[in-house]
Structures are given as C-alpha cells and as structure tokens.
Amino acid sequence: AQSVTQLDSHVSVSEGTPVLLRCNYSSSYSPSLFWYVQHPNKGLQLLLKYTSAATLVKGINGFEAEFKKSETSFHLTKPSAHMSDAAEYFCVVTRSSNTGKLIFGQGTTLQVKP
Amino acid sequence: DTAVSQTPKYLVTQMGNDKSIKCEQNLGHDTMYWYKQDSKKFLKIMFSYNNKELIINETVPNRFSPKSPDKAHLNLHINSLELGDSAVYFCASSQFHTGTEAFFGQGTRLTVV
C-alpha cells in the first residue's frame, strides 16, 4: 500500500525567507513522487516530479525537492518566498508500475506575510 | 490552448437532479481521470480510463457513471444528486497509466442544495 503524510497543515513564512514543506511517504514499491500547487479557486499545477533519476529535483518557480529513501521523505524547499507562492501544496505518490492512481497528501497551506 | 478543459466551472443544482460534467484533453494522452476534492481539500481518485477502457473504479456510488466516447474525452454523469456530492471535481490526464504525472483541469465546483 502507498500513503503520503504532509507533516504540517499550515506553514507561515515572511516574504524573502526560506520555505520548507515536509512530506513523508510510504510505499512497498519503487515510488514516483510529485508536488502539486493549487492556488485559490484554481486547478492543480505540477511543481516538480521524482521518477527514480536524480534525487535532487528542481521544479518551476524556484522550488526543489530532495528524495531521501532512507528517511522516506520528499520535502519541498524554496530559498526565498514570494507573495505569489501563497497557495495549497500537495505531496503525491504513485507506483511506477501501477494504474496511474495518484495518492494525495492532506495538503499544506502556505501563507506568505509581507 | 487549454490542455485539460472541463465544463461547467460552477454547477448549482437541487437534490435529486441528474447532471453531467464534461472533460476534454488536447494533449494526446491515453489516460484520463476523475478526482474529487472535498471541503477539507482532500483529493481522491474516483475513476480512470485508459484508451476508453475503465481501469480504476474506486468505491464510488453507482449514481456516478463515467463515459469515455474517445480517449480525448471523459465525462462524468451523476444521478439523483445528494447534498454530500457537493465538492470540486477535477478531470486529469496522463500520457501513460503507470507512474507519470497527471495534468489537471480547472475543476468543477458542484453545489447541491
């Protein structure tokens, strides 16, 4: 079975400071991992993906995530938060040889203060 | 050009009615999905079709019936709507049905009154 746990339901940072959104996963198989972002009343946009290549993955808008198998983690980071980063972030796992079913974490709301 | 488009964006209807949500993708993908996002923003898969064939059918009430006339379209029909069906429904597509990312539509906010 696969599951994802986002360790913080809400994260608040000041503009210009680093962002860390934490995600742990559980998977009996080789996982593919993603981070998606959802701005208010919008659809989901893919930020970045890990599919068993490089463990440090760079995404759009300056975000990156590191796959750590020993810690079963896939935390999302950004060196400097921007006001436009305020949104809901989802960590997602799927099995590389599955039916394509995405398992979503509970989401983390990122608030960016001026 | 919108990659995955769904209509309508908003849908308000009374209990007991039947409604449909349409979805189209122009990415040439083989696999399409319906996801449901509840009031707590939790997302869960409902259905998945690969080349018009149903491959995932989660524990969804029979009142929900997906239909895929071709691999670029996946519609969702809901019979006898209930208050608990109120949610945001997202259509998505992916190139393959194994381990690849999905591209999502803008969502349909369904409100049952």
Side-chain angles (χ1 to χ4, degrees):
Chain A
Q2 294 176 299
S3 66
V4 174
T5 302
Q6 292 182 240
L7 299 170
D8 307 292
S9 59
H10 189 100
V11 170
S12 182
V13 301
S14 297
E15 191 175 20
T17 64
V19 175
L20 170 64
L21 305 184
R22 299 182 295 164
C23 172
N24 285 353
Y25 71 91
S26 172
S27 179
S28 305
Y29 307 93
S30 176
S32 293
L33 291 155
F34 312 95
W35 276 97
Y36 281 85
V37 61
Q38 184 180 24
H39 287 94
N41 298 314
K42 299 286 187 184
L44 293 112
Q45 182 183 20
L46 180 69
L47 274 179
L48 48 79
K49 62 180 179 181
Y50 166 79
T51 54
S52 77
T55 55
L56 182 61
V57 180
K58 294 188 184 300
I60 61 172
N61 301 334
F63 285 94
E64 63 181 38
E66 186 171 7
F67 173 72
K68 292 187 176 180
K69 186 175 181 179
S70 60
E71 298 176 11
T72 60
S73 69
F74 190 57
H75 301 335
L76 181 70
T77 60
K78 182 173 180 178
S80 176
H82 191 273
M83 294 298 292
S84 61
D85 294 328
E88 191 79 16
Y89 291 80
F90 293 95
C91 183
V92 180
V93 67
T94 189
R95 182 174 150 190
S96 58
S97 57
N98 199 3
T99 53
K101 173 179 170 179
L102 300 180
I103 307 295
F104 281 79
Q106 304 92 321
T108 298
T109 303
L110 177 63
Q111 180 187 21
V112 182
K113 297 177 289 187
Chain B
D1 259 357
T2 304
V4 182
S5 60
Q6 12 180 153
T7 54
K9 189 171 181 179
Y10 299 97
L11 184 54
V12 181
T13 187
Q14 291 186 325
M15 283 175 54
N17 284 350
D18 302 338
K19 290 294 178 185
S20 293
I21 306 172
K22 295 186 176 182
C23 179
E24 176 182 3
Q25 56 96 1
N26 62 5
L27 297 167
H29 288 168
D30 289 336
T31 307
M32 296 185 72
Y33 313 83
W34 280 108
Y35 283 83
K36 179 180 179 180
Q37 185 174 43
D38 63 23
S39 58
K40 295 184 179 179
K41 298 190 177 180
F42 183 66
L43 279 140
K44 187 175 180 182
I45 192 166
M46 300 172 69
F47 301 103
S48 168
Y49 270 75
N50 180 251
N51 273 323
K52 301 194 298 175
E53 180 184 350
L54 180 67
I55 56 173
I56 294 176
N57 184 348
E58 292 289 293
T59 50
V60 177
N62 290 338
R63 299 181 294 103
F64 290 79
S65 55
K67 285 186 172 52
S68 182
D70 56 60
K71 74 175 190 177
H73 296 83
L74 180 62
N75 304 322
L76 183 65
H77 189 76
I78 315 170
N79 290 328
S80 304
L81 279 154
E82 301 177 356
L83 292 176
D85 298 332
S86 295
V88 181
Y89 294 84
F90 285 99
C91 178
S93 72
S94 64
Q95 187 173 10
F96 305 110
H97 64 277
T98 56
T100 55
E101 70 271 27
F103 294 82
F104 285 79
Q106 294 297 295
T108 296
R109 182 174 295 275
L110 171 66
T111 303
V112 182
V113 298

